[in-house]
Amino acid sequence: MTRSTALPLAAIAVMAVIFIFDTVTDMEIAVAVFYVAVVLFSVGFLHRRGIMLLASACIALTVLSYFLTQSGSPRAGLINCVISIAAFGLTTYLCLRTAAAEAAARNAQAQLAHVTRVTTLGELTASIAHEVNQPLAAIVTNGNACQRWLAAEPPNLGQATSTLERIVEDAMRASEVVARIRALVKRAPFVKTPLDLNETVLEAIALARNEIEQNDVSVRMALADGLPPVPADKIQLQQVILNLVANAVDAVRSTDAGPRELKIETRLHDGDGVLVGVHDSGAGFGRQDPERLFDPFHTTKPGGMGMGLAISRSIVEAHGGRIWAAAGTSRGTVLRFTLPQS
Ligand SMILES: Nc1ncnc2c1ncn2[C@@H]1O[C@H](COP(=O)(O)OP(=O)(O)O)[C@@H](O)[C@H]1O
Ligand SMILES: [Mg+2]
């Protein structure tokens, strides 16, 4: 039996038990009050309408057992009946309000995540434009060459064909970059699919590549082989990686002395989960509490928004993982996050 059918069946069973006890016990015993537990329990798997229907069913059952109960004082029974109905009526109202507030908070968070994603991309636009321009320029050059091979007497079909192959490859490269950007900017719903973590990391780094190169930063990859696939939302995960890389590049950019390095590592964690680490050779975050970095709107940058890490944390936690900052071994900062395998 799946969870989606087991939970409603359990709720119905508990309601039936409460109904039976409520009917066979004396009027004075307010068993019906236990329907409150059913309403609270149902919040986990029912939507608004479902919760309201369930509460109405509880009210109907309470009234029904009042009429069916033979023993005890009808006056006490009536009072108990009213108190019970008031109790789970109120519980239902409070549950619905909490659910509505949670939905509004989730929605606001999704919108904010979208805004920071677009802002991060805005910052990366120059480098992305370069990423697309390179294959386009190559296509033009190869296109001209191809024309010449074909115009020759006799036409050099062999050379023309291989130039055309290069044109197709470049066009595909450009369209891949565009597709990656479109996927990132799109407001897609949260979808978990089994992900190859290393591939996800490499794709995210590809988007930030020029930003990295323009700041004269070198990137070392330490990606473990044979990592298990993790159920995750690719776009959201890439957003986390992009945020961490953008911060690392910012940190390196603001230091003059020393090496200008980033190290991205992936490895198995705790036997079944996976870990991603972004190490930088920047100046570090000083004496401040590392947890402070994750506070919304906490920024030490002139044009900073201070939302990158806050949003990264909410994404990682929505995947059942953990994210934290620490000082690097010799210098700089390490941001690590883990994701469970299931
Ligand atoms: N790799 C890092 N090295 C040093 N400080 C960092 C690093 N990553 C984040 N921080 C600190 O945490 C703050 C919050 O980061 P973030 O939430 O991404 O917002 P923003 O980048 O807009 O400032 C940064 O302003 C910076 O002070
Ligand atoms: Mg940032």
Side-chain angles (χ1 to χ4, degrees):
M1 197 180 337
T2 64
R3 198 181 131 82
S4 57
T5 53
L7 293 178
L9 285 180
I12 290 172
V14 174
M15 280 169 73
V17 172
I18 296 173
F19 175 72
I20 293 168
F21 273 93
D22 196 22
T23 310
V24 299
T25 51
D26 280 359
M27 292 275 192
E28 282 85 354
I29 305 173
V31 180
V33 134
F34 287 106
Y35 287 124
V36 167
V38 179
V39 173
L40 286 173
F41 176 62
S42 72
V43 175
F45 58 91
L46 285 183
H47 290 297
R48 201 184 160 78
R49 261 179 71 89
I51 297 173
M52 280 174 18
L53 275 174
L54 186 100
S56 315
C58 292
I59 293 176
L61 289 176
T62 309
V63 174
L64 185 62
S65 42
Y66 169 72
F67 287 112
L68 293 178
T69 303
Q70 307 290 336
S71 55
S73 130
R75 201 181 123 79
L78 190 64
I79 292 171
N80 278 341
C81 190
V82 171
I83 291 175
S84 302
I85 290 174
F88 49 77
L90 195 65
T91 312
T92 309
Y93 172 71
L94 290 176
C95 285
L96 291 178
R97 280 202 44 173
T98 316
E102 270 172 12
R106 260 198 310 277
N107 194 16
Q109 196 188 43
Q111 278 178 1
L112 198 53
H114 180 65
V115 169
T116 29
R117 185 152 68 221
V118 173
T119 316
T120 315
L121 278 175
E123 287 160 9
L124 293 175
T125 304
S127 77
I128 290 167
H130 179 86
E131 196 93 356
V132 181
N133 267 338
Q134 238 176 2
L136 288 184
I139 289 171
V140 173
T141 313
N142 281 324
N144 287 333
C146 192
Q147 268 178 340
R148 281 197 303 276
W149 294 123
L150 290 177
E153 273 305 330
N156 189 334
L157 291 183
Q159 287 286 4
T161 311
S162 60
T163 328
L164 274 176
E165 275 165 12
R166 282 204 295 277
I167 291 180
V168 172
E169 276 167 25
D170 280 324
M172 289 197 338
R173 238 174 68 206
S175 88
E176 267 169 32
V177 177
V178 173
R180 280 205 295 266
I181 301 166
R182 283 186 57 178
L184 270 175
V185 179
K186 205 168 68 184
R187 286 196 55 178
F190 188 97
V191 257
K192 276 194 192 176
T193 45
L195 277 197
D196 177 333
L197 195 68
N198 289 345
E199 189 187 289
T200 313
V201 167
L202 289 172
E203 276 184 26
I205 300 294
L207 278 176
R209 202 177 67 201
N210 248 26
E211 177 80 2
I212 292 169
E213 282 170 6
Q214 273 166 11
N215 286 291
D216 202 18
V217 179
S218 65
V219 181
R220 200 146 52 87
M221 292 289 187
L223 309 180
D225 285 330
L227 289 178
V230 281
D233 182 304
K234 188 170 189 173
I235 303 298
Q236 296 212 346
L237 216 54
Q238 287 189 339
Q239 194 194 344
V240 173
I241 298 163
L242 268 178
N243 280 334
L244 301 188
V245 169
N247 282 346
V249 171
D250 284 344
V252 173
R253 188 179 18 211
S254 57
T255 50
D256 298 328
R260 303 171 72 82
E261 274 178 1
L262 246 70
K263 186 181 104 185
I264 321 271
E265 73 172 321
T266 59
R267 59 180 155 90
L268 213 58
H269 176 74
D270 271 356
D272 60 348
V274 292
L275 180 144
V276 179
V278 177
H279 306 240
D280 69 65
S281 62
F285 49 83
R287 290 174 165 278
Q288 58 181 329
D289 178 0
E291 280 301 290
R292 182 87 209 283
L293 272 54
F294 296 90
D295 285 349
F297 304 112
H298 168 72
T299 181
T300 52
K301 300 170 196 170
M305 200 168 21
M307 284 309 294
L309 289 181
I311 290 193
S312 300
R313 172 165 275 176
S314 70
I315 292 175
V316 170
E317 289 180 352
H319 284 81
R322 215 163 66 76
I323 182 168
W324 68 100
T329 29
S330 54
R331 55 179 293 138
T333 310
V334 198
L335 265 292
R336 294 191 175 90
F337 69 89
T338 60
L339 294 173
Q341 199 188 337
S342 53

